[in-house]
Amino acid sequence: MNKPSISFFCPAYNDEGSLPVLIPKTVRLLEKVCASYEIVIIDDASPDNTGKVADLLAKKYPYVSVIHHKKNRGYGGALKSGFRHAKKYPYVFYTDGDSQYDVNVLKQMLVYIDEYDAIVGCRRMRELTWQRKFQSTCYNKLIRFLFGINSRDVNCAIRLINRKSVNKLNLSSKSAFLPAEMLIKLHEQGARVKELLVIHYPRTTGQASGGKLSVIIPTFIEMLTYYFHRKKVEKAN
């Protein structure tokens, strides 16, 4: 198998402690498995020193660049920014800046790139509180029920996607609904999607924000808005 060329990005928020681990690890990985690569850090107006740390990493590593958001755009906005800026190569690989996934899983994903349009993680071990696990389980079941997709883990934040497939998605969500929107649209377009079991490691620095109402409420609003819009379009056709 020829070595692919990959654009990697990571949305980062309160990740000043994890980026110095994630980025060097990712550089070492991509140096080994890629013909060429780029790394883009999306600093989503983090209130800590994430932006400064990202800039220092960009100075140290020649293929690393940083996009700074002046205002926080939320998880969906950060992902869209990543897809928009990490566009140099035929494949897009991303994970979150909190380093809760091992980027070395890319080696397993690359086995499937000729057969599938997207290889997406599915957490077999989840380092979440019981409240977050319950929330995640209910959310996944609701997405499967409303949109008829088979994905077991719509929010797993480590994915490798063919750029051609990304360009067809026209992602619109601003909230944490965006990863689910991505999978829904991939399935709607008949894309070949492979789920790969991955481990979700505990967060060692910073604070997770996925369980906050300020994240949950916009996610459910966008989910329902997308669902009813989809039904309206289906009825019109």
Side-chain angles (χ1 to χ4, degrees):
M1 181 180 70
N2 293 329
K3 289 185 176 181
S5 294
I6 293 177
S7 293
F8 169 85
F9 77 86
C10 62
Y13 186 79
N14 285 338
D15 292 325
E16 64 177 46
S18 55
L19 285 180
V21 177
L22 174 65
I23 299 305
K25 187 176 183 180
T26 304
V27 169
R28 292 192 296 269
L29 169 67
L30 298 183
E31 286 282 355
K32 292 179 181 178
V33 303
C34 294
S36 50
Y37 68 91
E38 66 173 333
I39 293 174
V40 182
I41 303 170
I42 309 298
D43 167 33
D44 194 24
S46 186
D48 67 355
N49 289 317
T50 291
K52 293 179 181 178
V53 170
D55 286 337
L56 289 173
L57 289 165
K59 289 180 180 179
K60 183 175 181 180
Y61 298 102
Y63 300 109
V64 176
S65 61
V66 185
I67 301 299
H68 295 283
H69 292 171
K70 293 182 179 180
K71 293 183 179 180
N72 181 266
R73 301 183 187 180
Y75 188 58
L79 285 177
K80 285 196 292 185
S81 186
F83 283 121
R84 185 166 60 252
H85 291 283
K87 60 181 181 180
K88 191 173 182 179
Y89 296 114
Y91 296 95
V92 185
F93 176 49
Y94 82 85
T95 192
D96 291 346
D98 57 17
S99 201
Q100 287 192 263
Y101 297 93
D102 183 0
V103 289
N104 284 301
V105 76
L106 175 65
K107 296 175 183 177
Q108 297 171 257
M109 292 178 163
L110 291 176
V111 174
Y112 301 100
I113 61 169
D114 292 330
E115 188 179 354
Y116 293 91
D117 301 301
I119 301 96
V120 302
C122 176
R123 291 166 287 188
R124 63 183 175 90
M125 292 179 63
R126 303 185 184 193
E127 284 295 333
L128 302 171
T129 64
W130 72 265
Q131 293 99 328
R132 289 289 307 283
K133 287 181 180 178
F134 178 75
Q135 172 190 328
S136 178
T137 298
C138 292
Y139 181 62
N140 273 281
K141 288 183 177 181
L142 187 57
I143 293 292
R144 289 196 294 269
F145 173 74
L146 290 177
F147 299 101
I149 64 173
N150 296 321
S151 298
R152 291 174 290 171
D153 191 358
V154 298
N155 271 351
C156 185
I158 188 162
R159 295 176 178 180
L160 174 67
I161 308 174
N162 187 303
R163 165 54 65 178
K164 292 180 180 178
S165 296
V166 172
N167 291 342
K168 296 177 184 177
L169 293 179
N170 190 27
L171 298 169
S172 60
S173 301
K174 298 178 181 179
S175 70
F177 175 63
L178 189 137
E181 181 194 356
M182 189 189 310
L183 286 177
I184 293 164
K185 288 185 173 178
L186 282 168
H187 284 285
E188 285 177 344
Q189 294 170 6
R192 301 163 298 170
V193 179
K194 166 72 175 178
E195 282 192 336
L196 190 70
L197 291 176
V198 299
I199 297 174
H200 184 240
Y201 294 94
R203 184 173 182 132
T204 57
T205 63
Q207 292 183 335
S209 58
K212 295 181 178 180
L213 285 177
S214 59
V215 174
I216 295 172
I217 292 174
T219 299
F220 274 85
I221 289 174
E222 285 203 322
M223 178 190 68
L224 293 174
T225 300
Y226 184 79
Y227 173 75
F228 287 113
H229 173 73
R230 190 167 173 256
K231 285 296 181 183
K232 185 178 180 180
V233 171
E234 289 176 356
K235 187 176 181 180
N237 293 334

